[in-house]
């Protein structure tokens, strides 16, 4: 491709000025400069990828999708679709996991059935976690889709953590297949109660971007 001619009043270019010194420089210096330049480019790419949100999608009876940042994929627990975590010095600080949810046959709307299902689900949490204490429950919405919140505290890996589970079904009549979202986080200045889980910090983005169909 032909270059656009430069008007005399705008020259000479920086490249023209530096060319004699570049060609006169020892080969080792030129190799070092090239290596530093490539390293800076690689560093810029790595920084961009680190800041760019990751995404997860799942098909099946209740397809869902969400994005996240500051959390990292790990092996799902028994029966889970996916689990992402954040750890410091090997200790859990935040986790977000999604597992399948299947309601028994029911009549009426899902908004009435989810609270009934939650009573048995809460019993399962009590068996799963040590020092489990229910702190609250109630209806909510995830991206306009009706859902049900369960708030609690529990001891995880030797430390008390705040928990929030969300029971969620696709917004269609008679839906029975959905998901149970489990979120755990350490108490912090931004999260001082289980009711504040996923309203700040790294768990906020997965909930805000979670869609189910």
């Amino acid at each position: 491709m032909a270059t656009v001619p430069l008007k005399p009043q705008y020259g000479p270019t920086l490249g023209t000025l530096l060319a004699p010194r570049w060609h006169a420089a020892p080969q080792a210096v030129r190799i070092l400069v090239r290596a530093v330049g490539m390293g800076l480019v690689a560093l810029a790419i790595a920084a961009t990828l680190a800041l760019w949100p990751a995404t997860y999608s799942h098909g099946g009876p209740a397809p869902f999708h969400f994005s996240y940042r500051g959390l990292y994929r790990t092996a799902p627990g028994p029966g889970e679709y996916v689990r992402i975590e954040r750890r410091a010095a090997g200790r859990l600080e935040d986790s977000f996991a999604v597992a399948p949810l299947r309601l028994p046959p029911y009549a009426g709307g899902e908004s009435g059935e989810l609270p009934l299902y939650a009573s048995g689900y809460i019993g399962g949490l009590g068996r799963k976690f040590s020092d489990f204490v229910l702190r609250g429950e109630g209806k909510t919405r995830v991206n306009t889709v009706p859902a049900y919140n369960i708030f609690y505290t529990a001891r995880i890996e030797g430390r008390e953590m705040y928990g929030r589970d969300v029971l969620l079904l696709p917004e269609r009549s008679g839906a029975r297949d959905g998901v149970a979202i489990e979120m755990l986080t350490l108490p912090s200045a931004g999260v001082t109660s289980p009711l504040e889980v996923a309203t700040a910090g790294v768990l906020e983005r997965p909930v805000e971007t979670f869609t189910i169909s």
Side-chain angles (χ1 to χ4, degrees):
M1 180 182 294
T3 59
V4 177
L6 187 67
K7 293 183 178 180
Q9 61 267 34
Y10 297 130
T13 64
L14 181 61
T16 302
L17 292 173
L18 295 179
R21 293 188 179 185
W22 174 256
H23 293 301
Q27 184 178 11
V29 173
R30 285 184 283 172
I31 292 174
L32 178 61
V33 171
R34 289 192 181 101
V36 170
M38 293 175 64
L40 291 174
V41 171
L43 184 61
I45 293 173
T48 300
L49 292 176
L51 294 173
W52 197 263
T55 61
Y56 179 85
S57 298
H58 185 85
F64 64 88
H65 171 90
F66 65 90
S67 67
Y68 59 95
R69 185 164 50 204
L71 296 156
Y72 303 92
R73 290 275 300 273
T74 187
E80 294 176 349
Y81 290 135
V82 62
R83 174 172 288 271
I84 53 178
E85 295 181 347
R86 182 177 68 160
R87 290 180 175 269
R91 305 190 73 180
L92 182 66
E93 293 197 336
D94 303 276
S95 69
F96 183 96
V98 185
L101 167 70
R102 182 166 176 79
L103 297 185
Y106 62 93
E110 60 191 45
S111 61
E113 184 63 21
L114 283 176
L116 296 176
Y117 180 87
S119 61
Y121 184 91
I122 292 168
L125 291 176
R127 293 186 292 271
K128 178 179 179 180
F129 296 122
S130 62
D131 296 339
F132 172 86
V133 179
L134 179 67
R135 300 297 185 182
E137 57 181 302
K139 296 179 181 180
T140 186
R141 286 182 178 271
V142 176
N143 282 328
T144 75
V145 179
Y148 197 78
N149 270 327
I150 301 167
F151 303 101
Y152 56 94
T153 56
R155 188 159 297 278
I156 313 295
E157 299 183 7
R159 297 191 290 182
E160 184 182 74
M161 301 190 77
Y162 295 151
R164 174 190 173 191
D165 284 22
V166 178
L167 308 181
L168 179 64
L169 291 170
E171 199 170 18
R172 58 175 182 264
S173 178
R176 294 173 57 197
D177 290 296
V179 295
I181 305 172
E182 175 199 279
M183 294 170 280
L184 298 169
T185 190
L186 283 176
S188 66
V191 181
T192 60
S193 159
L195 277 67
E196 297 176 344
V197 172
T199 62
V202 296
L203 298 180
E204 184 177 10
R205 184 179 186 88
V207 174
E208 287 187 343
T209 60
F210 199 98
T211 58
I212 188 170
S213 58

